[in-house]
Amino acid sequence: MTELPTADHNRLPHAVTQLRIVFEQLGTEHKALVAEAEETTTKERRGTVNRMAEGIAQAGHTLSHTVTMLATVHGLKALGIDRQFSKDADGRDYSPLNSLGHPSEMLYDAAGHIHAVAHTLDKAYAQTRKYPALARARRPQQLGMALISLRAALEAMCADLSDDQDAEAAEYAPTLTLLRELEERVCHPVPAQSASPTADEVAAAIRANPSIARAAAAALATTS
């Protein structure tokens, strides 16, 4: 698990820094997917790659909005604004004018956006029945960094929510697990086992190169 800053006032800036890294690193993956889609001639395969690129774009849009939310939360906390009501003549809370900002509620909403980004990326890299090999990172180093940073940002936000005694912060534990598993699955795929050549491929190789035919005949004579 990523180590977080110990000082409470450092958590939100840390989360914003991590989300900026995510936003920047997603660009290389999106560009690679767009280029691949343009070069792909098979319609269904191109559709799958386009869907992946669209998922990255959607994640980027949500991240942009989330960074603005966190900057607002940080500003509200720094200015000491937290649900203050107007007052009546006796100094009591006067609710008809509503209240000032609610940083904890906005922070919880921002964590929900990160949850949505995680599931958007997971859906983008879901395997299809026809093209399961496409469910991999084109730029594994950059996408891996993005997923690790996304997890670090959510961890920081959850730590801040926990300080506000928000019991609902615990509900994001599965999202943290999802991001870790997604990074392992998409950025560190198990190498595919090389398939043996088919009989037709062997025959074609023999016809194309007489020396292969002589070597095959010699091998068969040795084993017989």
Side-chain angles (χ1 to χ4, degrees):
M1 183 176 292
T2 305
E3 185 178 350
L4 300 177
T6 55
D8 296 347
H9 66 276
N10 285 338
R11 285 179 180 145
L12 289 181
H14 175 73
V16 170
T17 298
Q18 294 301 311
L19 292 184
R20 187 180 64 192
I21 292 172
V22 178
F23 188 75
E24 291 173 350
Q25 297 304 316
L26 286 182
T28 58
E29 181 73 5
H30 183 266
K31 184 176 182 180
L33 286 168
V34 170
E36 181 177 329
E38 291 175 349
E39 296 171 358
T40 301
T41 56
T42 306
K43 183 177 180 181
E44 188 174 347
R45 184 186 181 97
R46 183 171 64 251
T48 298
V49 178
N50 275 327
R51 174 183 56 78
M52 297 171 72
E54 289 168 2
I56 297 287
Q58 181 181 342
H61 176 77
T62 305
L63 284 168
S64 175
H65 180 57
T66 306
V67 167
T68 301
M69 292 179 70
L70 290 181
T72 303
V73 172
H74 183 61
L76 289 172
K77 289 191 171 188
L79 294 170
I81 297 175
D82 190 356
R83 295 167 289 177
Q84 288 93 339
F85 286 96
S86 3
K87 305 295 180 180
D88 62 17
D90 298 319
R92 293 174 299 202
D93 288 344
Y94 184 71
S95 59
L97 297 187
N98 208 336
S99 64
L100 297 181
H102 191 336
S104 294
E105 184 176 300
M106 187 175 289
L107 179 59
Y108 181 74
D109 290 343
H113 286 317
I114 299 302
H115 169 83
V117 168
H119 283 271
T120 296
L121 294 175
D122 184 53
K123 184 178 180 181
Y125 289 91
Q127 288 189 344
T128 62
R129 182 181 304 176
K130 191 168 185 179
Y131 299 110
L134 292 179
R136 57 172 176 79
R138 274 52 178 183
R139 299 291 182 268
Q141 181 177 354
Q142 287 83 1
L143 184 59
M145 184 182 301
L147 293 172
I148 291 170
S149 295
L150 191 61
R151 193 172 77 240
L154 183 56
E155 288 172 345
M157 295 159 70
C158 287
D160 215 83
L161 285 170
S162 296
D163 283 353
D164 290 335
Q165 298 183 339
D166 191 336
E168 293 177 324
E171 74 182 60
Y172 293 111
T175 306
L176 294 169
T177 300
L178 171 65
L179 288 169
R180 184 179 297 106
E181 292 175 347
L182 182 62
E183 192 262 337
E184 293 174 354
R185 172 169 59 85
V186 173
C187 301
H188 306 284
V190 177
Q193 297 295 322
S194 58
S196 299
T198 65
D200 289 341
E201 290 171 338
V202 172
I206 290 174
R207 287 192 295 269
N209 190 339
S211 64
I212 295 179
R214 291 192 292 271
L220 290 172
T222 302
T223 56
S224 60

